[in-house]
Amino acid sequence: MKVLLPVFVREFYLTHTGFFLLVIAFAGGFMRSYDHIALGEFFISSPLVLVIPIVFWFLYNLKVINFNGEKIRQNENEFIFCFMLFPVSRQWWMAIRVVLIQLLPVFVYGLFLSLLAWKHEMMNSIIVILIALKILVIISAYHLLWSLHHPNYEKKVSFISRFLNLQFKKAFPLFFIEWMTRHEFAMLLGTKSFSALTILGITALYKTDIYDLRLLSIGIIIVSVGNTGLLHAMHHFENFHLSWLKGLPLPFLKRIFYSLLTIVIILLPEMVFLIQRFPAGQGLYNLAISAFFLFSIAFLIYGLLYAKDRNQQEIMTLVFYCGIGWFVLVLFDVPILLLGILNALVGLALWKKFYYSFEYVSRK
Amino acid sequence: MLKVINFSKSFSGELIISVPMLELQPGTYWIKGENGAGKTTFFKSLSGLIPCAGDVKFSDGISLTRSPIRYRERVNYGEAEPLYPGFLTAKDLIRFVGKARNTAPHQQDLLMKKFGIDEYFEKPCATYSSGMLKKLSLAIAFLGSPKLIILDEPLITLDENAQKNLVGLIDEYIDKHEAIVLLSSHQFLENTKIQINQSFTIKNKTLTAFNPT
């Protein structure tokens, strides 16, 4: 157990620090205690509505399963397969303990909802919550045990992959995108859903009242800061999985072009949402500078990642303070075009200055 | 000729390896050292993958610090334990690195055939054995017309045929391109056909000429 906890539990929480910080910031910063209670009471009002948090719990569980699967596949963790030498009952007990700790946030919220349901004497809701939690634990623990019992599974290549590999070669800016969709799909989906909801919510406000560009700019800051996890993953991919990249004789312009193109692809969904939902009265010029502002923040974050080796928690903290700075400047009506140009120039300067001297130590 | 001048590499303030002065003519050089002596760190620094103090320059003045791109055009590195994203194919990697190094497709295909990569050229790296990965890494290390080829543990996991081809390629690059080949190995290279010009060892964190006596 002493071996399983650092590999699966500590690493899980370290890897997802940014995600948890974001949830804590959202839950603690925007919602007051009675908002939480009101939302909880809404959830337990009927078993049908209770499906909403349960869906989120299953998505979180997917994150746990993906993480555990990835850890087991890593060569450095091959020693864990000795686990199979334990009696089956002990294996189950250990797997359940691991996933119970990984699912702790879900259990805490489940307990909160159960207490609310108890207070309102809604036994049906309590039963649904308990069944859902039990299923989550069984699924995760079973997956963990199954993966540990099937270490050298045959890697099959699908017909479509074989066909595509035969016909085409992948373009470099798509390397990271493919890696992301294969290995960090939950993060990608979560980030893009968060961006979509933020843009939809903010642009909807323009239909009810008259606002200037500042409201949308604040939304763009939130969306860009929300992409920090993805940019950190891109940086990790470049420096860990493509560590040989720095040894290639690529001119600076080409290197930066590849990186910019990758960032543009990452931000493509936000650009599409922005174009689709852009407030009618704001005009094309404002749309163009808003898109540029969104992109410039992402590029600055990318430059900051090369300036100093930072883990996800450190970069999140730094970006959080930058976000406050942009927020205040936007409130004081500093033009976002100016902020965008500054962000892009600082990002470029940091990247150019530190690219070769940067040394990657932190993993994730 | 390659000159390594006042080279040192430290991690968190702790010296890993230093090379006060080293001059290498075209030929093969064997860097010996115990595990953790700093061979890979030295190789990665020379190939520009990690920063270091001091300088490394060719006789015409192209240096790691002053002309980073032109320096990298001349230096190729084959890792001891290559790591590639599992979804990429040998084709994706060879074509990309080949393009970055301005190599003709026929050279890429030649190297691919030499190491027997053509059999799995279009399969993703996740399906490769460690030997197959090593061959891919070695093929990539010979792309272009490098003046300095750095091979970290080139013989591990290689089959006999691939070892022979590797020896042939080393000789060819030294003869045709006047390349300097730096390699590390825990195996006895005396038993192979690799012609070693000089051996070095790392003692007290300093690279020194190896003297068996």
Side-chain angles (χ1 to χ4, degrees):
Chain A
M1 197 64 199
K2 279 180 185 169
V3 173
L4 294 184
L5 287 179
V7 173
F8 291 107
V9 178
R10 194 178 66 194
E11 282 291 306
F12 176 77
Y13 283 104
L14 279 175
T15 305
H16 297 102
T17 309
F19 168 76
F20 289 115
L21 276 177
L22 204 69
V23 173
I24 290 166
F26 188 76
F30 295 99
M31 293 174 74
R32 291 154 295 184
S33 59
Y34 49 84
D35 291 330
H36 284 291
I37 292 169
L39 188 67
E41 284 174 341
F42 168 67
F43 285 149
I44 57 158
S45 59
S46 87
L48 198 67
V49 184
L50 205 50
V51 170
I52 299 172
I54 290 173
V55 166
F56 279 101
W57 294 348
F58 273 87
L59 286 175
Y60 179 86
N61 198 39
L62 205 64
K63 219 175 172 56
V64 169
I65 287 173
N66 277 342
F67 178 84
N68 290 347
E70 199 175 314
K71 281 285 141 193
I72 289 167
R73 281 193 294 274
Q74 285 174 355
N75 291 342
E76 67 207 45
N77 292 329
E78 272 181 6
F79 67 94
I80 295 173
F81 294 115
C82 301
F83 178 83
M84 287 183 280
L85 301 174
F86 288 112
V88 177
S89 58
R90 186 142 183 232
Q91 289 179 30
W92 267 100
W93 170 233
M94 286 157 89
I96 286 173
R97 277 176 70 187
V98 166
V99 298
L100 274 177
I101 308 174
Q102 288 177 318
L103 291 169
L104 202 60
V106 168
F107 274 85
V108 170
Y109 198 69
L111 182 67
F112 167 68
L113 290 185
S114 301
L115 288 174
L116 281 178
W118 182 267
K119 188 180 155 192
H120 295 283
E121 295 177 348
M122 303 180 83
M123 296 312 287
N124 282 350
S125 297
I126 296 180
I127 291 168
V128 172
I129 292 168
L130 289 178
I131 291 172
L133 293 177
K134 199 172 176 181
I135 292 173
L136 287 180
V137 173
I138 291 170
I139 292 174
S140 301
Y142 179 78
H143 170 264
L144 184 59
L145 281 177
W146 187 90
S147 306
L148 286 167
H149 281 265
H150 297 80
N152 295 313
Y153 62 93
E154 192 187 348
K155 293 189 174 77
K156 288 180 181 165
V157 185
S158 69
F159 169 75
I160 298 171
S161 293
R162 277 205 306 273
F163 174 77
L164 291 174
N165 287 335
L166 209 64
Q167 299 299 321
F168 307 102
K169 67 178 171 71
K170 292 179 190 79
F172 179 76
L174 295 177
F175 284 10
F176 170 68
I177 307 298
E178 184 161 354
W179 181 81
M180 198 69 208
T181 48
R182 284 170 182 271
H183 297 275
E184 298 283 357
F185 187 69
M187 189 207 275
L188 187 67
L189 194 70
T191 307
K192 296 303 149 188
S193 307
F194 173 76
S195 294
L197 288 173
T198 308
I199 293 173
L200 291 180
I202 291 209
T203 50
L205 289 174
Y206 279 85
K207 289 177 183 166
T208 58
D209 215 333
I210 297 166
Y211 296 102
D212 59 18
L213 191 62
R214 285 180 297 172
L215 179 66
L216 189 68
S217 306
I218 289 166
I220 288 172
I221 294 169
I222 295 169
V223 166
S224 313
V225 169
N227 273 281
T228 307
L230 290 183
L231 293 163
H232 186 264
M234 175 181 164
H235 181 257
H236 165 76
F237 178 73
E238 283 180 0
N239 288 282
F240 184 73
H241 296 282
L242 302 183
S243 57
W244 41 269
L245 191 65
K246 212 175 263 185
L248 293 183
L250 291 168
F252 270 109
L253 273 177
K254 200 163 199 171
R255 272 189 201 277
I256 201 69
F257 171 73
Y258 282 148
S259 300
L260 291 178
L261 206 56
T262 310
I263 294 174
V264 166
I265 298 170
I266 292 172
L267 293 176
L268 214 54
E270 281 84 351
M271 302 269 194
V272 172
F273 289 132
L274 211 55
I275 292 166
Q276 274 190 338
R277 307 286 302 183
F278 202 71
Q282 290 296 328
L284 269 179
Y285 172 74
N286 280 347
L287 172 63
I289 59 168
S290 298
F292 174 64
F293 185 50
L294 167 78
F295 176 76
S296 75
I297 294 177
F299 188 60
L300 176 65
I301 295 169
Y302 183 67
L304 284 170
L305 282 163
Y306 271 102
K308 191 186 166 199
D309 189 39
R310 292 181 171 95
N311 61 29
Q312 199 171 16
Q313 191 178 350
E314 289 167 336
I315 191 67
M316 285 298 237
T317 311
L318 181 64
V319 171
F320 179 72
Y321 287 119
C322 290
I324 292 172
W326 288 313
F327 181 83
V328 172
L329 291 170
V330 165
L331 279 185
F332 280 96
D333 220 1
V334 175
I336 56 167
L337 178 62
L338 179 69
L339 290 179
I341 291 171
L342 273 175
N343 289 341
L345 287 177
V346 174
L348 183 68
L350 289 173
W351 182 85
K352 175 107 170 45
K353 183 170 167 47
F354 295 106
Y355 181 78
Y356 283 133
S357 61
F358 175 76
E359 196 159 4
Y360 189 66
V361 180
S362 313
R363 285 208 171 175
K364 268 184 155 186
Chain B
M1 188 178 73
L2 182 84
K3 265 188 183 178
V4 181
I5 310 148
N6 289 329
F7 171 94
S8 68
K9 175 66 196 169
S10 305
F11 284 125
S12 308
E14 191 189 331
L15 179 72
I16 303 297
I17 181 170
S18 73
V19 184
M21 176 59 98
L22 177 68
E23 289 186 4
L24 301 173
Q25 300 291 341
T28 311
Y29 300 88
W30 181 10
I31 311 288
K32 298 177 178 186
E34 296 162 4
N35 294 332
K39 300 184 294 291
T40 301
T41 303
F42 179 54
F43 285 170
K44 284 189 172 178
S45 305
L46 282 193
S47 49
L49 296 181
I50 55 173
C52 58
D55 205 0
V56 186
K57 61 179 175 186
F58 289 94
S59 48
D60 60 356
I62 298 294
S63 95
L64 172 65
T65 51
R66 293 189 179 177
S67 28
I69 297 159
R70 292 188 68 192
Y71 176 86
R72 281 167 174 80
E73 280 172 4
R74 298 177 178 194
V75 181
N76 285 9
Y77 173 55
E79 288 171 281
E81 290 172 36
L83 175 75
Y84 301 114
F87 60 89
L88 292 179
T89 62
K91 177 166 84 172
D92 295 328
L93 289 160
I94 289 183
R95 297 289 184 239
F96 173 68
V97 177
K99 194 178 163 195
R101 293 202 173 276
N102 264 327
T103 60
H106 98 269
Q107 192 207 16
Q108 299 170 21
D109 296 343
L110 210 70
L111 284 167
M112 179 179 87
K113 280 182 189 140
K114 200 139 208 163
F115 282 104
I117 297 168
D118 49 337
E119 288 168 24
Y120 52 93
F121 192 54
E122 275 137 353
K123 287 183 183 168
C125 290
T127 61
Y128 296 1
S129 69
S130 49
M132 289 154 89
L133 275 174
K134 188 74 182 175
K135 287 178 185 175
L136 172 60
S137 145
L138 286 170
I140 288 173
F142 283 93
L143 282 172
S145 338
K147 293 285 176 202
L148 172 62
I149 301 171
I150 303 167
L151 304 174
D152 198 354
E153 291 288 351
L155 300 177
I156 50 166
T157 71
L158 276 194
D159 55 52
E160 206 176 325
N161 200 31
Q163 287 193 17
K164 273 185 200 163
N165 285 330
L166 174 68
V167 174
L169 270 174
I170 290 175
D171 291 342
E172 184 189 323
Y173 274 66
I174 292 169
D175 293 342
K176 282 190 185 168
H177 303 293
E178 296 191 318
I180 296 162
V181 179
L182 268 184
L183 47 89
S184 74
S185 180
H186 289 294
Q187 285 161 287
F188 291 103
L189 292 182
E190 291 91 344
N191 300 340
T192 68
K193 287 184 177 171
I194 299 175
Q195 300 291 318
I196 302 294
N197 290 55
Q198 195 179 350
S199 299
F200 294 92
T201 187
I202 299 168
K203 271 188 185 169
N204 300 323
K205 300 182 178 182
T206 306
L207 188 81
T208 45
F210 179 71
N211 189 350
T213 56

